[in-house]
Amino acid sequence: EDQVTQSPEALRLQEGESSSLNCSYTVSGLRGLFWYRQDPGKGPEFLFTLYSAGEEKEKERLKATLTKKESFLHITAPKPEDSATYLCAVQAGTNDYKLSFGAGTTVTVRA
Amino acid sequence: NAGVTQTPKFRVLKTGQSMTLLCAQDMNHEYMYWYRQDPGMGLRLIHYSVGEGTTAKGEVPDGYNVSRLKKQNFLLGLESAAPSQTSVYFCASQVTGTGRYIQYFGAGTRLSVL
């Protein structure tokens, strides 16, 4: 069974204070690792997909990296508008339809 | 371009009542999903569909039924609601055949069962 664990559960940052979120996974045959952003009262919004170890993707202040066992979401010089819950999910094995989600990391950035 | 639209946005039910949640997507996606999200547990797959007329059970299907009569619509039914079904429900859709497995989500339906 695919397992996805995110840490920490919550992260409080000062504006401009860079940090990283972790997503560790145990799967058989990774097809893709996904990062989503979820704002309160809204649905998850797609950020990145990573397909192989060593791959990196960037979007504004966010950078996602992938190893064979985990992924990191780095937030550089965060702003209050980066406050959200960040979800990690994996797709693995022979299926191309099922995502297994972690419980998320809630990031709060104070001005 | 609306993407994935869920109705209703909020609903309060009494134990034993029934209801149907509607999901509509305008992206011509083959795959559609229903998830529930509970605090500290992440998103859990209830049912999914890989095409019009097909449905399959996910991780937590008990107490729910689904139908996909049209490609663009995916309905989630609760026949006899229970307090344990109080949750936030999300619908998602995914394109196939491109090697990109991205799921796109609706805004959610917040359901309380009293």
Side-chain angles (χ1 to χ4, degrees):
Chain A
E1 183 178 329
D2 302 337
Q3 290 195 330
V4 182
T5 304
Q6 292 187 246
S7 62
E9 289 184 12
L11 190 60
R12 293 177 64 86
L13 301 172
Q14 199 67 34
E15 184 172 4
E17 178 188 3
S18 301
S19 188
S20 295
L21 286 57
N22 178 264
C23 172
S24 62
Y25 61 91
T26 304
V27 300
S28 178
L30 181 71
R31 293 172 70 98
L33 185 141
F34 301 79
W35 283 99
Y36 285 84
R37 170 189 171 126
Q38 186 174 22
D39 293 307
K42 296 189 176 181
E45 177 186 352
F46 171 74
L47 291 173
F48 304 110
T49 311
L50 301 167
Y51 293 102
S52 58
E55 189 174 359
E56 299 181 351
K57 294 274 181 75
E58 286 189 67
K59 181 180 180 179
E60 297 180 356
R61 295 175 292 282
L62 301 177
K63 179 180 178 179
T65 62
L66 181 65
T67 73
K68 289 186 178 180
K69 294 183 179 181
E70 58 192 350
S71 176
F72 291 94
L73 185 65
H74 308 278
I75 309 178
T76 302
K79 298 182 177 181
E81 52 262 43
D82 294 322
S83 298
T85 296
Y86 292 87
L87 303 174
C88 172
V90 297
Q91 197 170 65
T94 57
N95 83 78
D96 67 345
Y97 61 85
K98 184 176 180 294
L99 287 180
S100 297
F101 281 85
T105 294
T106 299
V107 175
T108 304
V109 182
R110 296 166 292 174
Chain B
N1 188 353
V4 179
T5 304
Q6 292 183 233
T7 53
K9 290 183 169 48
F10 303 93
R11 187 73 185 267
V12 178
L13 291 178
K14 294 181 179 179
T15 298
Q17 287 185 318
S18 63
M19 77 164 294
T20 300
L21 282 67
L22 172 63
C23 177
Q25 54 98 0
D26 61 3
M27 297 175 283
N28 201 36
H29 288 172
E30 287 292 334
Y31 291 5
M32 295 187 74
Y33 310 82
W34 277 106
Y35 291 89
R36 61 178 290 171
Q37 187 175 40
D38 301 292
M41 300 191 71
L43 285 156
R44 292 183 292 168
L45 184 64
I46 304 172
H47 286 282
Y48 64 96
S49 168
V50 298
E52 181 178 319
T54 73
T55 63
K57 295 180 179 180
E59 190 181 351
V60 288
D62 294 342
Y64 305 96
N65 57 75
V66 288
S67 64
R68 182 110 181 260
L69 298 180
K70 293 183 179 181
K71 184 177 182 179
Q72 64 268 32
N73 295 339
F74 195 29
L75 278 62
L76 177 71
L78 286 72
E79 291 183 344
S80 179
S84 60
Q85 294 177 304
T86 293
S87 187
V88 183
Y89 293 86
F90 289 100
C91 176
S93 69
Q94 177 185 315
V95 68
T96 60
T98 64
R100 293 168 56 84
Y101 312 112
I102 302 167
Q103 292 185 13
Y104 297 91
F105 286 81
T109 295
R110 283 144 189 84
L111 175 65
S112 292
V113 182
L114 306 177

